């Protein structure tokens, strides 16, 4: 059973979520890499696969690993691997080194996501879990918001955007040291986690729908992140730097949306919040097809980020509430479905190259429509 703990125990867990947000550098990185190495949309979007494919491969084994080795130790392992991913571009910068960097970043991020969410459960009271998971995504969004700003600053001041990795490497070291020095009493699952046990949970319709929801929601989020620059440049003929501002606007909206959601969840149920957010997210996304200027395009991007901000943590918290006694396996399953971030963007890239940008955006809209259905299903059954 989750229980309240002191602020000094919850803060290093929140900080680990900040490191988790380093994965959002993929949006800025793919923009620069595409420009510097003259890549096609298809090849550029394939870079994201190097990060998110590991969620499909490693999530369930990591859930089993953390059941045996502890959640805190597992989080620290993920942060260390993330730090290695930050180091590679500083030593060697090429298309292939970025592939290697993204692989380490993907493996590290997979491990952090599987273990940090149930670790947050251990430092949260049961009635505050949805709020704290949403707030943790707010912390993650801060990293996503600052990433494009720091990268642009490094590019302008030092002539090299990859210097952002020095900042990320230093923060990773601090996070490992802080979490390592913090004592956290971890809960144990009702039964030992196993790969077969986790996969058998998919036979439960409610679990399967939630897993598909996280698959499509992460695919949507990564697809937005990696296509904002393309959208702004294609629709409004702006420069790379001006188009990149759209990414900061998107992550600022995610940050604001998650912070506001954490507050609102003190007064309304998470299921009601789920329904409201999905409905307004779909309406906001539809605006992208009709915006006449860069400013109105940025407004649409902001509204999408604002209303989609809390959807992933709401889906995740629903799963943990549904089967709290199987938290490690549920976490592994739902983080496994984060591989949607590896599959949806390359499909968008193929559609963009074949039929034009807005055709690929229709696929993102379809992802949101499913999440609308899931929100109404969750409202009546979870």
């Amino acid at each position: 059973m989750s229980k309240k703990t002191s602020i000094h125990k919850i803060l290093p867990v929140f900080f680990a979520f900040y490191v988790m947000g380093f994965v959002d550098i993929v949006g800025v990185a793919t923009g620069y890499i595409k420009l510097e190495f003259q890549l096609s949309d298809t090849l550029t979007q394939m870079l994201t696969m190097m990060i998110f494919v590991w969620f499909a491969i490693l999530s369930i084994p990591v859930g089993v690993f953390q059941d045996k080795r502890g959640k805190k130790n597992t989080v620290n392992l993920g942060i260390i691997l993330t730090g290695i991913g930050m180091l590679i571009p500083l030593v060697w910068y090429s298309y292939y080194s970025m592939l290697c960097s993204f692989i380490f970043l993907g493996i590290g991020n997979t491990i952090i996501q599987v273990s940090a969410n149930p670790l947050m459960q251990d430092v949260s009271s049961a009635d505050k879990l949805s709020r704290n998971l949403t707030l943790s995504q707010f912390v993650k969004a801060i990293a996503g918001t600052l990433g494009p700003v720091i990268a642009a600053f490094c590019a302008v001041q030092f002539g090299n955007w990859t210097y952002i990795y020095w900042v990320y490497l230093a923060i990773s070291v601090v996070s490992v040291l802080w979490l390592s020095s913090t004592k956290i009493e971890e809960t144990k699952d009702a039964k030992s986690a196993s790969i077969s046990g986790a996969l058998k949970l998919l036979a439960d319709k409610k679990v399967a729908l939630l897993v598909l929801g996280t698959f499509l929601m992460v695919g949507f989020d990564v697809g937005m992140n990696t296509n904002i620059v393309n959208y702004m440049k294609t629709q409004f003929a702006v420069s790379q730097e001006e188009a990149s501002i759209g990414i900061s606007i998107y992550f600022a909206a995610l940050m604001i949306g998650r912070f506001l959601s954490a507050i609102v969840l003190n007064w309304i149920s998470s299921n009601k919040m789920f329904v409201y957010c999905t409905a307004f997210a779909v309406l906001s996304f539809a605006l992208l097809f009709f915006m006449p200027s860069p400013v109105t395009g940025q407004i649409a991007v902001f509204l999408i980020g604002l209303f989609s901000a809390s959807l992933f943590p709401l889906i995740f918290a629903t799963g943990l509430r549904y089967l709290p006694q199987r938290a490690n396996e549920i976490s592994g399953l739902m983080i496994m479905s984060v591989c949607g971030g590896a599959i949806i963007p390359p499909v968008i890239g193929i559609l963009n190259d074949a039929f034009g940008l807005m055709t690929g955006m229709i696929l993102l809209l379809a992802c949101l429509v499913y999440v609308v259905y899931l929100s109404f299903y969750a409202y009546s059954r979870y």
Side-chain angles (χ1 to χ4, degrees):
M1 177 67 67
S2 299
K3 55 184 179 181
K4 280 189 175 181
T5 60
S6 59
I7 191 71
H8 85 273
K9 292 187 178 181
I10 202 169
L11 283 178
V13 181
F14 275 125
F15 199 67
F17 276 88
Y18 187 88
V19 177
M20 187 192 297
F22 291 174
V23 74
D24 293 323
I25 194 65
V26 64
V28 177
T30 52
Y32 280 107
I33 293 169
K34 178 183 179 182
L35 185 65
E36 293 172 1
F37 298 107
Q38 297 296 302
L39 305 178
S40 68
D41 275 351
T42 300
L43 196 56
T44 302
Q45 295 294 335
M46 288 295 288
L47 281 168
T48 63
M49 183 176 291
M50 295 300 100
I51 288 181
F52 292 96
V53 70
W54 302 104
F55 290 97
I57 298 170
L58 296 177
S59 292
I60 295 178
V62 170
V64 175
F65 175 86
Q66 76 178 11
D67 186 60
K68 294 176 170 54
R69 300 295 182 180
K71 301 163 194 171
K72 189 178 80 170
N73 291 336
T74 308
V75 171
N76 275 335
L77 174 62
I79 295 173
I80 290 170
L81 292 175
T82 297
I84 294 173
M86 298 298 104
L87 185 61
I88 290 174
L90 299 172
V91 177
W92 171 39
Y93 179 62
S94 71
Y95 175 72
Y96 296 105
S97 73
M98 291 309 298
L99 286 176
C100 293
S101 174
F102 280 16
I103 288 171
F104 273 97
L105 181 57
I107 294 173
N109 198 262
T110 299
I111 294 172
I112 298 171
Q113 293 221 34
V114 172
S115 50
N117 285 288
L119 186 61
M120 180 61 74
Q121 186 180 32
D122 287 338
V123 293
S124 304
S125 59
D127 61 325
K128 300 300 183 184
L129 178 60
S130 292
R131 186 201 66 179
N132 286 345
L133 285 178
T134 301
L135 197 57
S136 68
Q137 292 298 314
F138 159 72
V139 174
K140 177 178 179 289
I142 295 175
T145 304
L146 294 179
V149 176
I150 299 172
F153 176 83
C154 292
V156 172
Q157 294 297 317
F158 307 110
N160 191 338
W161 71 273
T162 63
Y163 283 7
I164 187 177
Y165 289 118
W166 283 115
V167 179
Y168 281 2
L169 179 60
I171 293 173
S172 298
V173 172
V174 171
S175 182
V176 168
L177 294 176
W178 191 4
L179 189 58
S180 295
S181 64
T182 304
K183 184 178 180 180
I184 297 175
E185 295 179 9
E186 300 183 19
T187 58
K188 289 287 188 179
D189 281 5
K191 58 179 291 187
S192 296
S194 67
I195 294 176
S196 60
L199 293 175
K200 286 177 181 177
L201 288 176
L202 289 173
D204 185 322
K205 179 182 177 181
K206 293 180 180 180
V207 173
L209 289 173
L210 289 169
V211 169
L212 179 58
T214 53
F215 177 90
L216 295 177
M217 193 61 236
V218 175
F220 169 84
D221 187 47
V222 177
M224 275 296 299
N225 183 9
T226 56
N227 281 280
I228 288 173
V229 170
N230 201 9
Y231 168 77
M232 296 298 295
K233 290 174 68 175
T234 301
Q235 292 295 98
F236 309 116
V238 297
S239 68
Q240 175 75 23
E241 287 71 25
E242 188 176 352
S244 296
I245 293 173
I247 299 177
S248 288
I249 290 172
Y250 179 67
F251 281 104
L254 290 178
M255 184 173 61
I256 294 169
R258 286 163 184 168
F259 181 73
L260 293 177
S261 295
I263 295 174
V264 174
L265 281 167
N266 285 306
W267 291 286
I268 71 172
S269 71
S270 58
N271 283 345
K272 283 184 179 179
M273 186 67 146
F274 195 6
V275 171
Y276 296 153
C277 288
T278 52
F280 283 113
V282 168
L283 292 174
S284 300
F285 191 87
L287 294 176
L288 284 180
F289 296 88
F290 306 104
M291 294 295 97
S293 69
V295 173
T296 56
Q298 290 173 345
I299 291 172
V301 168
F302 178 85
L303 291 174
I304 294 167
L306 185 69
F307 292 115
S308 66
S310 60
L311 295 181
F312 177 81
L314 286 171
I315 296 171
F316 204 101
T318 301
L320 290 179
R321 287 198 316 271
Y322 177 55
L323 287 175
Q325 71 278 15
R326 307 285 293 276
N328 285 325
E329 289 168 319
I330 284 288
S331 179
L333 271 181
M334 298 189 74
I335 297 302
M336 177 187 72
S337 64
V338 171
C339 69
I343 297 173
I344 301 295
V347 174
I348 293 172
I350 293 170
L351 292 174
N352 288 351
D353 285 337
F355 305 107
L357 173 70
M358 299 315 288
T359 305
M361 301 300 273
I362 292 173
L363 177 58
L364 292 179
L365 179 59
C367 293
L368 271 186
V369 170
Y370 172 82
V371 180
V372 171
Y373 159 75
L374 180 62
S375 70
F376 281 97
Y377 184 90
Y379 184 77
S380 60
R381 292 178 174 84
Y382 289 95

